[in-house]
Amino acid sequence: MSSAHRPLADRTVVVSGGSRGIGLAIALGAAAQGANIVLLAKTAEPHPKLPGTVYTAVADVEAVGAKAAAVVGDVRKEDDVQRAIDTAVHTFGGVDIVINNASAIATEATESLAAKKFDLMMDINVRGTFLLTKAALPHLRQSPNAHVVTLAPPLNLNPHWLGAHPAYTVSKYGMTLLSLGWAAEYADAGIGFSCLWPQTYIATSAVTNLADGQNMVAAARSPQIMADAAVQILTGPAKEANGQTYIDADVLAAAGITDLSGYGGGDDPIWDIFVDKS
């Protein structure tokens, strides 16, 4: 395929937590458009319940004809994050796109939530997003159409979501606030800071492993919908994305894609958290 039909050709994408699920789907979507991919993840060895490692993810990217590099590391650790950025620069010449995908979730009630789970969510979701973006910024400034896409929701202050799982909500909204803050802080830098969130549950291995996982997956859409929405954002002008908080289905609708049946989930998919049915 010619570079004219591969709009991300020669651009380099760094994805946190990209060994499986949505992160890997976005990496593959960008790779199919010609991007080089650097994956930062802890999964050097197979998880007993979750398929895939950072190395199998790299193999998946290479299978679609793209170049990729694996960095085994923890997004919470500054040295590991810097190593991922250095790998992108030394291997591919720079960083054009960052996908802040790594995330932890614990939705227990406040009185039942262990402090270490609270800390884990804040460290991965907020600190990890901060560290990776900060490390990439000097290189993003040099890119002609740089994007930072953070997988975080619009700031829905419906008391239902505020009260459903306050600690997790704070951690995800913290990611969103960082993105919105950077959009304002770097408004003149030519970098598009945006958030992307699924309208519905996404059929990942993590969902499958829940108590009612099989039924939930049947009413969830494929990770491909997030990949396709991300590619729409990444191939568009950074200035148009800057400061936006997107829902995947809305991104596709704006691109003229309204039939979402191919992504699965049935006629009545489960709406994701933080998303109100209109």
Side-chain angles (χ1 to χ4, degrees):
M1 187 182 292
S2 70
S3 60
H5 294 93
R6 289 162 61 89
L8 297 180
D10 300 322
R11 297 172 66 75
T12 299
V13 182
V14 179
V15 184
S16 66
S19 58
R20 61 177 69 93
I22 293 172
L24 177 56
I26 292 175
L28 291 171
Q33 300 301 319
N36 308 311
I37 307 295
V38 175
L39 298 171
L40 170 63
K42 291 173 63 179
T43 50
E45 301 294 334
H47 187 283
K49 294 185 178 180
L50 300 173
T53 68
V54 67
Y55 299 115
T56 61
V58 163
D60 290 342
V61 170
E62 292 174 342
V64 302
K67 298 177 182 178
V71 177
V72 178
D74 189 333
V75 75
R76 297 172 292 177
K77 296 181 178 179
E78 195 167 5
D79 289 347
D80 288 359
V81 167
Q82 189 61 55
R83 190 157 44 85
I85 297 302
D86 290 346
T87 296
V89 173
H90 295 155
T91 306
F92 301 119
V95 178
D96 301 286
I97 294 164
V98 169
I99 307 295
N100 287 308
N101 167 71
S103 189
I105 180 171
T107 58
E108 293 97 315
T110 298
E111 291 171 275
S112 303
L113 182 69
K116 70 176 184 179
K117 286 188 177 181
F118 178 92
D119 291 343
L120 182 68
M121 288 191 290
M122 297 303 166
D123 282 352
I124 293 177
N125 301 359
V126 181
R127 176 183 169 89
T129 295
F130 169 78
L131 289 178
L132 185 58
T133 305
K134 178 185 177 183
L137 273 166
H139 308 286
L140 293 168
R141 287 177 175 275
Q142 306 304 314
S143 174
N145 192 46
H147 284 269
V148 176
V149 177
T150 298
L151 299 194
L155 296 175
N156 184 348
L157 299 184
N158 182 333
H160 172 75
W161 298 119
L162 293 176
H165 28 63
Y168 177 62
T169 298
V170 166
S171 73
K172 294 306 292 188
Y173 284 10
M175 295 171 72
T176 306
L177 287 169
L178 281 175
S179 182
L180 294 173
W182 289 323
E185 183 179 12
Y186 296 99
D188 299 325
I191 304 169
F193 292 95
S194 62
C195 294
L196 177 62
W197 193 250
Q199 182 186 64
T200 69
Y201 274 25
I202 299 297
T204 63
S205 298
V207 173
T208 302
N209 288 329
L210 295 175
D212 193 30
Q214 293 301 322
N215 289 331
M216 295 173 74
V217 164
R221 290 176 179 151
S222 162
Q224 189 63 44
I225 190 171
M226 287 289 282
D228 290 349
V231 167
Q232 289 291 332
I233 297 167
L234 299 176
T235 55
K239 64 180 180 180
E240 292 183 8
N242 196 44
Q244 299 298 314
T245 55
Y246 295 109
I247 297 293
D248 57 357
D250 295 339
V251 174
L252 296 182
I257 303 168
T258 56
D259 181 3
L260 305 181
S261 59
Y263 297 111
D267 295 332
D268 188 23
I270 303 170
W271 248 230
D272 207 347
I273 56 178
F274 306 123
V275 180
D276 295 330
K277 278 191 173 182
S278 58

